Amino acid sequence: MRVDLFDFDLPEASIALRPPQPRDAGRLLVVRPGEALEDRAVRDLADLLRPGDALVFNDTRVIPARLRGVRHRVGSPGLRMEAMLHLRESPESWRAFARPGKRLAVGDRVRFGRDGEGEACALGILDATIAEKGAGGEIVLRFDLSGPALDEAIALAGELPLPPYIAGKRSTDERDVVDYQTVYARKAGAVAAPTAGLHFSDDLLARIDAAGIARHSVTLHVGAGTFLPVKADDTDDHRMHAEIGHLDQATAEALNAVRAAGGRIVAVGTTALRLLESAADEDGRLHAFAGPTDIFITPGTRIRAVDALMTNFHLPRSTLFMLVSAFSGLETMRAAYAHAVEGGYRFYSYGDSSLLFPAPSE
């Protein structure tokens, strides 16, 4: 499909730079294709679902994946650079997006840390070699440390990777360390938050439990590719970056039982949906899954395993707006987003949310 079909006008004032407080105070636009849009609140979620339904959360935890450092090369002056980690390839290697990518070469040494000087991992210093260089500023960094020692060094040297549409307008601060993490985050590895989940407070989770709605967790370590613009003119020409996901057999069987009993599977966020769809067979039955997925969901893709989707409002021309258009219909979502803009909904990672139901199958 033409990518420009997924464009829309969005005023700068609609982009949220801080999340709602408390977490569950955000607005919730309910979208049922063929019916009137419904303006509700995130706190109403338990009332909008039924006993026997199951919410599926992504329990990934955001790591401080933005690294700043200095490239060192024999015969050349030091070059300040930045790397955004997005996919772990081995205990000592990460795939990353680098700036300025064109001035880097395989074999270059990079020292990340607060001032670019000192020993590896001393006071937040971390050394690496550029092992591969790809297109679009993508590189593979082979670090001098490995495994848990590397994780600890990244935690010291790295910064929280706020999305560019927030980071370009203000600095990251201590509030973000809490705000940009779900209350149920468990498994470290994401470089971006599963932002629909940021709306859940302990109180809202308790109300969901009391309403007889089940809660299950999957893991998809969100990569920095989620921020990349679609540069192609046609969706067929866009390449998704892989992300690592995990669905265990017990959870797969529990979710299959929910549907067998007449309940609905409700994905909290596009990341949970993408993992579930990656793990589903043609009949929508879920199976254990562990490994990379680069699933790209656009209109025409059949949604097999998810019956409703809670998700924030996404960028124009983004793969995520394409996904919600596949789920509820392009015209339905264009109308919903126009309503949201007109009604003052707050967009993107720290913004308000929506509860989407699927378009009728043809």
Side-chain angles (χ1 to χ4, degrees):
M1 294 182 70
R2 295 198 334 262
V3 170
D4 61 6
L5 294 173
F6 302 93
D7 203 359
F8 57 89
D9 293 326
L10 184 70
E12 283 287 316
S14 296
I15 300 172
L17 299 183
R18 294 285 184 187
Q21 295 291 340
R23 286 177 180 261
D24 57 12
R27 300 173 68 188
L28 184 71
L29 180 63
V30 182
V31 181
R32 295 184 176 90
E35 300 182 26
L37 297 169
E38 190 175 349
D39 297 302
R40 299 290 292 265
V42 170
R43 291 193 184 103
D44 298 333
L45 182 61
D47 299 327
L48 294 164
L49 302 178
R50 303 190 297 246
D53 288 344
L55 286 165
V56 181
F57 298 89
N58 182 2
D59 65 3
T60 190
R61 187 171 187 85
V62 182
I63 64 172
R66 177 175 282 113
L67 299 173
R68 303 180 195 273
V70 178
R71 181 216 66 189
H72 298 282
R73 181 190 300 168
V74 175
S76 298
L79 173 70
R80 293 196 176 277
M81 63 161 291
E82 177 181 311
M84 173 71 82
L85 307 180
H86 76 86
L87 181 67
R88 191 166 200 159
E89 298 218 319
S90 72
E92 69 279 349
S93 298
W94 274 86
R95 193 166 289 274
F97 297 112
R99 294 189 304 176
K102 291 182 179 180
R103 299 178 65 183
L104 305 175
V106 172
D108 284 348
R109 292 284 289 170
V110 183
R111 172 157 288 180
F112 296 108
R114 295 188 178 92
D115 59 7
E117 299 178 359
E119 298 299 323
C121 198
L123 299 176
I125 302 303
L126 178 60
D127 291 332
T129 300
I130 297 177
E132 296 179 24
K133 182 179 178 182
E138 190 173 36
I139 61 173
V140 174
L141 289 165
R142 186 174 64 247
F143 291 93
D144 290 4
L145 298 173
S146 178
L150 175 57
D151 298 339
E152 292 174 9
I154 290 172
L156 285 171
E159 302 173 20
L160 188 74
L162 279 184
Y165 43 79
I166 296 176
K169 295 185 177 181
R170 66 168 179 82
S171 299
T172 304
D173 58 30
E174 289 303 312
R175 284 180 58 186
D176 294 305
V177 174
V178 175
D179 289 344
Y180 199 61
Q181 202 81 262
T182 65
V183 297
Y184 49 79
R186 297 291 181 270
K187 298 173 183 175
V191 304
T195 54
L198 299 179
H199 293 280
F200 286 84
S201 63
D202 291 332
D203 180 64
L204 179 56
L205 293 174
R207 279 184 277 147
I208 287 166
D209 293 341
I213 299 160
R215 290 193 277 137
H216 297 277
S217 294
V218 299
T219 305
L220 185 72
H221 293 313
V222 191
T226 190
F227 300 139
L228 294 180
V230 178
K231 296 181 179 179
D233 293 325
D234 192 282
T235 57
D236 288 343
D237 299 322
H238 178 70
R239 179 176 70 90
M240 292 287 286
H241 287 81
E243 298 165 311
I244 301 298
H246 180 80
L247 169 65
D248 63 48
Q249 185 62 38
T251 302
E253 291 175 358
L255 292 172
N256 289 332
V258 166
R259 271 188 150 181
R264 297 173 297 183
I265 295 177
V266 182
V268 178
T270 57
T271 60
L273 183 145
R274 292 181 65 244
L275 191 282
L276 292 171
E277 292 301 315
S278 299
D281 62 24
E282 286 299 313
D283 296 323
R285 187 169 182 80
L286 292 165
H287 302 271
F289 182 93
T293 177
D294 60 358
I295 188 171
F296 185 19
I297 297 173
T298 61
T301 303
R302 186 166 67 91
I303 305 298
R304 299 167 295 182
V306 174
D307 304 299
L309 169 65
M310 181 179 173
T311 183
N312 286 14
F313 294 94
H314 305 294
L315 284 77
R317 302 173 70 99
S318 66
T319 60
L320 300 181
F321 185 61
M322 294 171 190
L323 184 154
V324 297
S325 297
F327 193 80
S328 296
L330 176 56
E331 293 309 312
T332 294
M333 293 312 302
R334 289 183 66 87
Y337 273 46
H339 173 91
V341 170
E342 180 67 23
Y345 279 76
R346 302 163 76 245
F347 273 62
Y348 302 165
S349 296
Y350 276 161
D352 295 311
S353 196
S354 62
L355 180 63
L356 311 181
F357 292 90
S361 57
E362 296 181 358

